[in-house]
Amino acid sequence: MDFGIGEKTALVFGAGGGLGGAIAARLAAEGARVVAADIDEAAAQRTVGSIRAAGGHAIALHWDISDLDVITPGLAEVEKAFGPVDILVNNTGGPPPTPVAGQAPDQWTRHFDGMVRSVIAVTDAVLPTMRERGWGRIVTSTSSGVVTPIPNLGLSNALRLALVGWSKTLAREVGPDGITANIVLPGRIATGRITFLDEQKAKREGRSTEAVAAESVAAIPVGRYGDPDEYGAVVAFLASRQASYVTGSIIRIDGGLIPSI
């Protein structure tokens, strides 16, 4: 199936990580010209190297998404390389595991700026050119915690939920302009972040990481952690021509893990 995004410009944040890298690779495989943005430039370069080795088109861009002053020069670099952004993938790192109660105000502010305010600001910056062309895709990766709050991920559960309300509202506003806005939720996808969370839980509970992972897998109907490529594949579809009638949605990529309807 031709997704119809050949020659489209995709800006993928967190592209040096497991989920972002897989998303970038999938979009490139569909013919998009990918800008792999990450605060870790070396990691972004590795993603670009893999994309180019597979015959795709990509560049790496050092970008700290929490720094709003980087947006204008960053987008100028994107346009210089490939043209205006057609596909925006908002994908940020998560805060450390913590209870929700008793967190210092500056903790809330810092992570809100990095996970919410920055995403909104970048999206606002690319919308004018999307509207001019009458086409655009905005996909924002959050967490299954916005549906079923995850114990000891208090900051993440609360802050990422703000993006759900924002994206749903945005979808209605930009729908007439040929732009879609959707949320994707990862379940237990096999990335460094999940390994870290398993390790932290194991330390708190005095168990082995293997035991914690086995317990997690037992709760997943398909009986395994997800592959990052499976996550990237769903995002690539949401960016496609065929997904033009999918907007304002929350898509679960979780192997059936989230228990609610």
Side-chain angles (χ1 to χ4, degrees):
M1 180 185 293
D2 179 6
F3 277 4
I5 57 175
E7 303 302 311
K8 298 288 188 185
T9 298
L11 173 58
V12 181
F13 283 98
L19 294 181
I23 292 167
R26 270 289 186 162
L27 290 171
E30 294 296 333
R33 299 168 296 186
V34 173
V35 177
D38 203 290
I39 192 171
D40 184 343
E41 187 174 4
Q45 289 286 4
R46 288 192 291 272
T47 296
V48 168
S50 297
I51 289 172
R52 290 177 177 174
H57 300 283
I59 63 167
L61 199 59
H62 176 252
W63 194 323
D64 178 357
I65 193 171
S66 67
D67 185 354
L68 302 190
D69 291 336
V70 175
I71 294 175
T72 298
L75 291 179
E77 286 293 318
V78 174
E79 294 198 15
K80 180 180 178 182
F82 293 140
V85 174
D86 301 294
I87 300 163
L88 174 64
V89 179
N90 293 311
N91 173 49
T92 69
T98 62
V100 75
Q103 300 305 310
D106 65 335
Q107 274 275 82
W108 287 103
T109 300
R110 181 162 64 89
H111 291 295
F112 177 83
D113 287 347
M115 297 168 56
V116 181
R117 184 170 171 241
S118 57
V119 165
I120 294 170
V122 170
T123 304
D124 282 347
V126 303
L127 280 175
T129 54
M130 286 183 176
R131 281 175 157 144
E132 286 175 7
R133 298 190 306 281
W135 198 97
R137 300 287 185 266
I138 300 159
V139 183
T140 302
S141 181
T142 59
S143 163
S144 62
V146 305
V147 176
T148 302
I150 302 169
N152 208 51
L153 284 183
L155 290 169
S156 177
N157 294 336
L159 295 177
R160 292 193 192 278
L161 191 56
L163 290 172
V164 176
W166 163 78
S167 182
K168 181 68 173 179
T169 306
L170 180 67
R172 178 173 288 276
E173 293 177 359
V174 301
D177 302 309
I179 303 166
T180 66
N182 291 290
I183 294 284
V184 283
L185 307 183
R188 306 288 291 180
I189 310 294
T191 64
R193 169 73 172 174
I194 291 299
T195 299
F196 170 74
L197 292 176
D198 283 349
E199 290 171 346
Q200 292 299 302
K201 184 175 182 180
K203 288 179 182 177
R204 290 195 308 273
E205 299 179 357
R207 297 194 288 157
S208 69
T209 302
E210 292 75 16
V212 168
E215 182 180 74
S216 293
V217 167
I220 302 171
V222 301
R224 61 178 176 84
Y225 282 179
D227 188 296
D229 182 63
E230 294 173 305
Y231 195 75
V234 176
V235 175
F237 172 73
L238 291 174
S240 72
R241 178 184 65 243
Q242 289 87 342
S244 59
Y245 206 60
V246 181
T247 194
S249 295
I250 300 175
I251 310 298
R252 306 176 186 196
I253 311 166
D254 69 341
L257 172 64
I258 300 171
S260 62
I261 295 173

